[in-house]
Amino acid sequence: MATRDVSSQSDISKMQRDPDGSFKRQASAFRNTIERGGKFEPERDRYHLYVSYACPWATRTLIVRKLKGLEDIIPVTAVSPRMGAHGWPFASADDYPGTDPDPLHQSQHVKDLYLKADPDYAGRFTVPILWDKKNQTIVNNESSEIIRFFNSAFNHLLPEDKAKLDFYPQELRVAIDSLNEWVYHGINNGVYRAGFATTQSAYEKAVHEVFDSLDKVEKILEGKEYVVGDRLTEADIRLWVTIIRFDPVYVGHFKCNFRTIRDGYPAIHSWLRKLYWNVPAFKDSTNFDHIKTHYYWSHTSINPTRIVPVGPIPDIQPL
Ligand SMILES: N[C@@H](CCC(=O)N[C@@H](CS)C(=O)NCC(=O)O)C(=O)O
């Protein structure tokens, strides 16, 4: 349990903005690598993944874990979507449907795991977390790195058909890296920069960047199945987790409302639905109730009544 006052780290309503009202995402602090011969060996029953189904960054890890068939090797625990003054709660602190207790430490909140790993930790208590049971610490809390470990570090423990799946293939790496970079800035983090802005000018700058970037993706996906090359890569996964939340949450809550995906972007909309309805790893990693409840309930500086809107109906349209 926390022995010092960490409320400025756990309470999202106390999150600092820059003097111009813009939101800057802090860098993740735990950045160890899982690799053979390293301090963190890829092993069965050694690592545990903590996620929220509401969180787009955590959902990346859920999707890759499932695509690669890592469910038996890396168990998962999901927190409550209602992130309050102490941050993300486990079921023992908020028994919301679809929420788990912490099976390893019986923690009340995600912050307890951070403070167990490092009592002096000074950052935010974010998900996802990849926990190492052997060293009793957080291996890594950066989703873009966790999905790379899941993509290849455990291959020797997997059956052939799963081991050979590669979502970051050598020949597409340059194209994937370059797409990831502007998609992160303009879309994944762009929606947060729009939604968390506290000045009109910071909001307007961000929201224009969001829609300029969506226009660019729409052009890429016209007549094409995937954003890079002709196969599913991590670039699709990283983009998809934001697009699936767009109409249900970002249009309203984050004021990204020039147009919706369903009515304004036919190529993105088709790509979104195909992955959702045709690939179980995407659908099974999506919980619209957790998604909507999290944003509308937790960000009281944006939505003080905590009323969760009923629409859009349906959350996602059929194919
Ligand atoms: N860089 C991290 C970002 C993770 C992140 O910001 N997660 C959010 C939820 S969507 C969170 O846990 N926020 C809690 C807080 O800031 O208090 C990653 O990609 O893994």
Side-chain angles (χ1 to χ4, degrees), residues 32-295:
N32 303 292
T33 303
I34 297 190
E35 60 191 346
R36 292 176 93 172
K39 181 176 175 202
F40 298 94
E41 282 273 357
E43 284 170 38
R44 187 179 289 277
D45 197 32
R46 172 165 175 181
Y47 301 101
H48 194 89
L49 182 65
Y50 291 96
V51 300
S52 160
Y53 279 93
C55 170
W57 320 98
T59 304
R60 297 167 163 186
T61 66
L62 284 170
I63 293 172
V64 179
R65 170 178 173 270
K66 190 122 195 169
L67 285 168
K68 288 288 293 186
L70 286 165
E71 293 101 315
D72 293 340
I73 295 178
I74 300 163
V76 69
T77 291
V79 298
S80 162
R82 294 190 292 210
M83 194 177 81
H86 297 286
W88 295 106
F90 289 101
S92 52
D94 183 25
D95 196 9
Y96 191 89
T99 298
D100 305 314
D102 174 11
L104 301 183
H105 312 285
Q106 291 72 48
S107 316
Q108 299 297 301
H109 295 92
V110 163
K111 72 173 181 184
D112 303 340
L113 295 170
Y114 275 87
L115 297 174
K116 191 181 277 289
D118 176 6
D120 298 322
Y121 178 72
R124 301 206 60 83
F125 305 115
T126 58
V127 288
I129 294 175
L130 191 60
W131 181 269
D132 175 17
K133 291 192 270 186
K134 193 165 170 183
N135 290 308
Q136 290 290 314
T137 194
I138 297 173
V139 183
N140 199 299
N141 69 336
E142 171 50 47
S143 62
S144 58
E145 294 175 2
I146 296 172
I147 63 173
R148 296 261 170 96
F149 309 148
F150 287 2
N151 183 54
S152 52
F154 296 86
N155 280 349
H156 60 292
L157 304 174
L158 293 172
E160 172 81 35
D161 61 326
K162 295 292 185 189
K164 72 171 192 242
L165 292 174
D166 184 2
F167 302 105
Y168 190 51
Q170 194 68 51
E171 67 277 16
L172 295 177
R173 285 187 183 180
V174 173
I176 292 172
D177 289 344
S178 115
L179 189 122
N180 283 347
E181 200 178 314
W182 62 261
V183 163
Y184 172 81
H185 178 79
I187 301 180
N188 303 135
N189 199 40
V191 293
Y192 281 88
R193 289 190 296 111
F196 283 155
T198 53
T199 60
Q200 184 72 28
S201 58
Y203 157 70
E204 285 192 21
K205 184 172 185 301
V207 77
H208 278 286
E209 285 170 357
V210 168
F211 283 91
D212 288 349
S213 305
L214 287 174
D215 292 349
K216 211 164 145 182
V217 173
E218 177 71 9
K219 287 218 162 58
I220 292 174
L221 282 172
E222 274 165 8
K224 212 166 164 298
E225 289 286 297
Y226 303 104
V227 283
V228 174
D230 56 4
R231 56 194 281 193
L232 181 69
T233 67
E234 65 158 52
D236 294 289
I237 298 162
R238 290 172 48 130
L239 174 64
W240 193 90
V241 296
T242 299
I243 303 299
I244 193 71
R245 287 162 176 72
F246 204 87
D247 291 0
V249 172
Y250 301 145
V251 170
H253 186 64
F254 279 173
K255 306 182 184 77
C256 292
N257 60 359
F258 292 8
R259 55 195 86 89
T260 57
I261 299 296
R262 63 190 64 192
D263 295 320
Y265 289 104
I268 299 177
H269 191 213
S270 162
W271 164 90
L272 172 76
R273 285 174 300 147
K274 278 186 193 154
L275 288 173
Y276 182 87
W277 293 109
N278 295 341
V279 188
F282 287 79
K283 185 164 181 284
D284 296 351
S285 305
T286 304
N287 181 325
F288 285 112
D289 174 53
H290 279 218
I291 291 172
K292 285 171 56 171
T293 300
H294 166 64
Y295 287 91

